[in-house]
Amino acid sequence: MSKSEIRRLDNLIATAARKLEGVQKRETWALPAGEQARMAGHVAVLVAKATRLKDSPRAKRGIDEIWGNAEARLRAEIGAAQTAKAEILHQEAKAKTAKKASGWW
């Protein structure tokens, strides 16, 4: 049971780390579908304003906010998974120690 749980957490950490790297490189594949849609909307506004030679600071802030939120969420997810993995490993070590201590002499 616990080895499969550790493997699942390792996969979760690896996936989140790859997504975090993608977010840091500003690659949209790393964003969830809803955030990709919001990003597309902000980019469309920027393109429409640029064709009229205007600036859109709200759209730029929205894009920066999406990237920032995604990065923070992924860092929190990685941290939580690492904490859960450490707790499982600690419990296993504690159980193993207790089992060895209860042996007969």
Side-chain angles (χ1 to χ4, degrees):
M1 168 63 187
S2 62
K3 288 189 181 199
S4 64
E5 185 69 17
I6 291 172
R7 193 174 311 115
R8 185 188 68 80
L9 288 170
D10 282 338
N11 288 337
L12 183 84
I13 291 168
T15 301
R18 282 192 302 273
K19 285 184 178 183
L20 179 60
E21 185 179 330
V23 165
Q24 289 171 339
K25 291 179 180 179
R26 301 298 193 243
E27 297 173 349
T28 57
W29 65 264
L31 296 173
E35 289 183 354
Q36 286 180 3
R38 285 181 39 218
M39 179 74 70
H42 288 305
V43 170
V45 168
L46 284 175
V47 169
K49 294 277 185 163
T51 59
R52 291 179 272 164
L53 302 176
K54 294 183 178 180
D55 192 25
S56 179
R58 182 184 294 172
K60 288 180 182 178
R61 274 194 315 270
I63 289 172
D64 290 339
E65 183 180 310
I66 290 172
W67 290 121
N69 290 343
E71 188 170 346
R73 185 186 64 253
L74 287 168
R75 285 188 192 279
E77 186 177 329
I78 290 170
Q82 288 173 339
T83 302
K85 180 182 173 184
E87 180 63 29
I88 289 172
L89 291 174
H90 176 72
Q91 288 174 355
E92 282 183 1
K94 193 175 179 181
K96 187 175 183 179
T97 303
K99 183 178 178 183
K100 285 190 175 192
S102 69
W104 60 277
W105 285 93

